[in-house]
Amino acid sequence: MVKIYLDPGHGGNDPGAIGNGLREKDLTLAISLKIRNLLEQYEGVQVRLSRTTDKTLTLKQRTDDANAWGADYLLSIHINAFNGSARGYEDYIYSGLSDSSQTAQYRDVMHEEITKLIDMPNRGKKKANFHMLRESRMSAML
């Protein structure tokens, strides 16, 4: 059984990026629910979301929940603000990982497949010291 933890970024009193009448917290939740519905069609896959409604959760609550559940993979969904130049797809793994790590290998496969399916500029595979990536005990991508 593979356990996948989806984290719709932001929520509750944290709307995330706002623009064109859209709020990041709403979009990340809608995307995460669609991903869950797709993944649940596969045998041997369990999916858990950090939130399924518009509620406030701290980053620590999110990673603590994923760690306690024993997730095999964490995917935190975000949509960066559009500022004229920030258009496209990018993903992040923890900056303390090598490019040969299991997490980097998962990211490489996902990045290649996602960029094949979307009509957006490829902003690259990146690393960062984000809480969701650093504090999760499983492979994680944002």
Side-chain angles (χ1 to χ4, degrees):
M1 182 67 61
V2 175
K3 297 169 95 175
I4 300 173
Y5 192 89
L6 300 175
D7 172 49
H10 307 286
N13 62 18
D14 176 10
I18 300 173
N20 301 314
L22 300 171
R23 297 180 302 186
E24 182 177 6
K25 68 177 184 174
D26 299 329
L27 296 172
T28 60
L29 181 57
I31 291 166
S32 297
L33 291 170
K34 285 186 179 195
I35 293 171
R36 179 193 65 188
N37 293 343
L38 289 170
L39 290 173
E40 286 181 337
Q41 295 175 27
Y42 293 93
E43 276 188 47
V45 176
Q46 284 185 328
V47 181
R48 182 172 181 152
L49 276 71
S50 60
R51 64 183 184 91
T52 57
T53 61
D54 184 22
K55 69 179 186 179
T56 303
L57 293 169
T58 66
L59 296 175
K60 184 176 182 333
Q61 286 174 308
R62 296 165 195 250
T63 52
D64 284 354
D65 187 46
N67 290 334
W69 185 54
D72 296 303
Y73 193 80
L74 181 149
L75 181 62
S76 187
I77 309 294
H78 289 268
I79 299 169
N80 290 338
F82 176 76
N83 65 8
S85 65
R87 183 176 179 278
Y89 173 79
E90 63 191 356
D91 45 48
Y92 291 87
I93 61 171
Y94 178 53
S95 56
L97 296 173
S98 76
D99 288 333
S100 62
S101 69
Q102 184 69 57
T103 299
Q105 291 174 32
Y106 289 153
R107 186 264 325 263
D108 291 347
V109 169
M110 289 182 64
H111 187 93
E112 182 178 341
E113 294 303 315
I114 290 168
T115 55
K116 281 182 197 175
L117 295 173
I118 60 174
D119 184 25
M120 293 182 159
N122 182 350
R123 293 178 45 86
K125 299 180 279 188
K126 301 177 180 183
K127 292 183 177 182
N129 187 26
F130 296 144
H131 176 96
M132 295 300 295
L133 305 175
R134 181 185 64 246
E135 299 301 322
S136 57
R137 287 188 224 133
M138 70 291 306
S139 291
M141 187 171 85
L142 187 137

